[in-house]
Amino acid sequence: MPGARSKAFTSNHVVHADGSVDFACSQDDRLWPWSTLDPHHPGAIQALSYWVSVESAMALGKWDPDKWSALTWTRWQCGDPGVGRLAGGTYTRSTIDGKESFSIYLRDAAGRDICRLDGRGVVFRTRDFEKWRKPDKQAAPKALSDSFAYASDALLGLAPGERPFLSPLHGDSATALIDAANGMPPGHPWLDGSGDHVNSAHLAEVARQFTSLLRGGQPFRVTGAEMRFDHYVELGSPFEVERVDSNGGAVTMQVRQAGRDCTRITYHLQDLASA
């Protein structure tokens, strides 16, 4: 995505000598509808990962808002259930597995830990991003969400007003389709994005819906996750989601489109059906 220009999710940045940044988070529901979700909702965590990391890097003077960027990896671990709405946190630069990364510590208004989020990405400093992306976008087979056969809202675990992204299961896999009509405002109540491709928050929600399909609609909580982004997923083009591993309360999913492995996602789960 390009750098933030017309609005900001974080404010009151305090830059410390060690390079960490404290920040407050917007409470404006109109501008940030995903911020009203449960603070441990995967889509909300992935949405804020972009805004917090970019705006904190801007506060440090280490970000060019004219350049496009992309997340390549995120990992998060949720705190205890029952925390309040996201109020603020701390951003730090970190080294994880020998690679330059960032870590974000998120807290509610009472100072309780909501989540630790780690991530890394890439900035397209010299590449003409839109020209580079054009061949892939033109080559992807197109489909429309209004004629796609989606699974039921109950099986997908959708709240009122949310839009389905996945077909019924076929064994361990399902077909997904996200276009502007079902995955961007005003068609979706809380998802947004660059409009260039399926963004990480969309993929986090796809994984949540797919996990719900695997569980037959039974309720669950995502307590932690890891997402690796290897190739863009195109808007308006069907893609596949397949369960490739499931053990120890975790499920790992592979997202593929047009024969390419695009995203690998692991969710750690707490069963709420018997809680």
Side-chain angles (χ1 to χ4, degrees):
M1 294 179 71
R5 292 177 180 274
S6 60
K7 59 181 182 178
F9 178 62
T10 61
S11 61
N12 300 334
H13 301 98
V14 178
V15 178
H16 299 282
D18 63 359
S20 62
V21 180
D22 292 333
F23 57 86
C25 296
S26 173
Q27 306 297 299
D28 190 327
D29 298 351
R30 181 184 60 84
L31 284 178
W32 312 102
W34 48 263
S35 69
T36 66
L37 299 171
D38 185 286
H40 293 156
H41 192 293
I45 292 173
Q46 274 302 128
L48 68 85
S49 70
Y50 167 76
W51 295 99
V52 172
S53 63
V54 168
E55 291 170 7
S56 296
M58 285 180 173
L60 287 168
K62 297 182 179 296
W63 196 269
D64 183 347
D66 292 324
K67 301 299 183 184
W68 280 73
S69 65
L71 282 169
T72 57
W73 172 81
T74 57
R75 177 182 66 190
W76 73 82
Q77 182 65 43
C78 294
D80 293 333
V83 292
R85 178 175 176 156
L86 177 63
T90 302
Y91 166 97
T92 67
R93 301 300 302 176
S94 55
T95 300
I96 301 173
D97 297 330
K99 299 177 180 179
E100 183 179 348
S101 308
F102 61 81
S103 297
I104 301 170
Y105 302 84
L106 302 165
R107 294 179 286 272
D108 69 7
R112 293 175 295 184
D113 292 333
I114 292 176
C115 177
R116 171 179 170 157
L117 167 70
D118 301 314
R120 69 179 67 100
V122 61
V123 178
F124 301 101
R125 299 187 185 280
T126 60
R127 177 176 288 167
D128 184 332
F129 181 84
E130 294 184 12
K131 181 179 179 180
W132 171 65
R133 289 278 297 122
K134 189 174 181 179
D136 277 354
K137 289 195 286 187
Q138 291 178 334
K142 297 297 187 286
L144 296 174
S145 60
D146 61 4
S147 58
F148 188 84
Y150 292 102
S152 71
D153 289 5
L155 285 176
L156 294 171
L158 300 186
E162 290 184 323
R163 301 295 297 273
F165 293 153
L166 289 154
S167 73
L169 279 175
H170 303 288
D172 275 348
S173 66
T175 302
L177 177 64
I178 300 177
D179 62 8
N182 72 345
M184 300 288 285
H188 196 281
W190 55 264
L191 274 169
D192 201 342
S194 65
D196 176 83
H197 53 272
V198 174
N199 290 107
S200 68
H202 291 103
L203 292 168
E205 173 62 3
V206 164
R208 191 199 65 79
Q209 292 188 19
F210 184 70
T211 302
S212 185
L213 276 179
L214 293 174
R215 294 173 52 83
Q218 294 298 308
F220 63 95
R221 172 175 171 257
V222 178
T223 61
E226 184 170 7
M227 302 179 70
R228 190 185 75 219
F229 307 98
D230 298 315
H231 196 277
Y232 284 116
V233 178
E234 304 302 337
L235 281 164
S237 180
F239 57 95
E240 301 301 313
V241 186
E242 180 186 9
R243 173 171 55 184
V244 293
D245 194 15
S246 185
N247 63 77
V251 58
T252 298
M253 299 152 269
Q254 181 67 53
V255 174
R256 299 184 181 94
Q257 188 180 60
R260 288 172 165 163
D261 287 350
C262 297
T263 307
R264 195 172 183 90
I265 304 167
T266 297
Y267 277 178
H268 298 273
L269 309 176
Q270 177 188 4
D271 184 5
L272 299 180
S274 57

